[in-house]
């Protein structure tokens, strides 16, 4: 084998290994999440919910407040005239951003002025603090952004969520897709 070709192949293999070692997923909430392999997805009618999970999935147990926030997101999604897929994207986003907790200002632990279920920022035009900490308002604001994403219904959840949220961790939304789909399947018709 040509020496230059062999060095190129070994260099690419080394970069792939190094990238995997240093660019592995950040386990921000590893203590309170469970990782599982992707499983079968829920089907309602001819609609696949979700559109297939990407990678390992995380799952947390929800308390009454978090479950109430799931129901509020679903209600706001229905009120906006959007479907179950929009609710799955919204809930997965809120799971990543706040673990479905309506967070107020966190002081030094806060990411800028991010607050609420979706960690929206008043300084970025999402609304006032009072608005973005209201589950119906914050969900409606997120859905308004989602509606502006061409083809969001057919793109991977993490890409749709990232296009709206513009997160520093764009791939982290994917880990919540299965739990979000399960929550929508459980609460959509209640």
């Amino acid at each position: 084998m040509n020496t230059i070709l062999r060095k190129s192949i070994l260099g690419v293999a080394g970069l792939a290994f190094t990238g995997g070692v240093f660019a592995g997923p950040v386990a921000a909430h590893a203590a309170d999440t469970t990782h599982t392999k992707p499983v079968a997805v829920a089907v309602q009618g001819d609609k696949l919910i979700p559109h297939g999970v990407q990678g390992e999935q995380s799952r947390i147990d929800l308390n009454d407040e978090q479950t109430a926030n799931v129901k509020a997101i679903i209600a706001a999604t229905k009120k906006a005239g959007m479907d179950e897929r929009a609710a799955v994207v919204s809930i997965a986003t809120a799971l990543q951003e706040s673990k479905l907790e309506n967070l107020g200002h966190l002081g030094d632990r806060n990411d800028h002025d991010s607050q609420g279920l979706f960690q929206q920022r008043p300084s970025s035009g999402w609304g006032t603090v009072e608005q973005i900490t209201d589950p119906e308002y914050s969900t409606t604001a997120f859905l308004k952004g989602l509606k502006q994403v061409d083809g969001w219904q057919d793109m991977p959840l993490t890409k749709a969520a990232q296009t709206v949220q513009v997160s520093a961790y764009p791939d982290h939304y994917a880990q919540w897709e299965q739990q979000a789909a399960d929550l929508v399947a459980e609460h959509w018709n209640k």
Side-chain angles (χ1 to χ4, degrees), residues 115-185:
Q115 297 188 48
L117 295 172
F118 296 89
Q119 290 295 280
Q120 295 160 330
R121 297 177 59 193
S123 65
S124 294
W126 284 101
T128 66
V129 171
E130 293 77 22
Q131 290 172 321
I132 63 176
T133 55
D134 174 76
E136 181 180 350
Y137 178 92
S138 63
T139 302
T140 302
F142 175 80
L143 292 170
K144 183 178 178 183
L146 188 62
K147 284 180 184 179
Q148 296 175 9
V149 178
D150 288 335
W152 69 266
Q153 302 91 333
D154 298 316
M155 66 178 53
L157 179 145
T158 199
K159 183 176 179 186
Q162 172 61 10
T163 304
V164 177
Q165 293 293 104
V166 192
S167 169
Y169 305 100
D171 298 325
H172 288 199
Y173 300 107
Q175 68 183 314
W176 301 105
E177 188 161 8
Q178 186 63 57
Q179 184 170 15
D182 292 345
L183 290 167
V184 170

Side-chain angles (χ1 to χ4, degrees), residues 1-148:
M1 182 185 300
N2 179 323
T3 304
I4 294 174
L5 178 59
R6 184 170 34 133
K7 285 182 179 179
S8 295
I9 291 170
L10 291 173
V12 169
L15 283 174
F17 172 78
T18 304
V21 169
F22 291 110
V26 176
H29 296 280
D32 64 353
T33 61
T34 305
H35 295 285
T36 59
K37 299 247 184 226
V39 294
V41 295
V43 177
Q44 292 181 340
D46 63 350
K47 185 177 295 224
L48 186 63
I49 303 170
H51 287 225
V53 296
Q54 295 179 321
E56 297 224 357
Q57 296 292 292
S58 296
R59 183 171 290 274
I60 59 172
D61 292 329
L62 302 183
N63 63 30
D64 291 342
E65 176 194 354
Q66 292 164 308
T67 301
N69 288 330
V70 166
K71 293 175 181 179
I73 290 170
I74 289 173
T77 303
K78 288 179 176 182
K79 189 173 180 179
M82 296 181 78
D83 65 8
E84 294 95 335
R85 180 65 181 162
V88 170
V89 175
S90 299
I91 291 170
T93 302
L95 275 163
Q96 174 59 34
E97 294 292 347
S98 69
K99 302 297 182 275
L100 288 166
E101 294 175 5
N102 196 8
L103 301 174
H105 196 280
L106 301 175
D108 291 341
R109 298 178 321 167
N110 206 40
D111 177 20
H112 307 287
D113 57 341
S114 302
Q115 297 188 48
L117 295 172
F118 296 89
Q119 290 295 280
Q120 295 160 330
R121 297 177 59 193
S123 65
S124 294
W126 284 101
T128 66
V129 171
E130 293 77 22
Q131 290 172 321
I132 63 176
T133 55
D134 174 76
E136 181 180 350
Y137 178 92
S138 63
T139 302
T140 302
F142 175 80
L143 292 170
K144 183 178 178 183
L146 188 62
K147 284 180 184 179
Q148 296 175 9

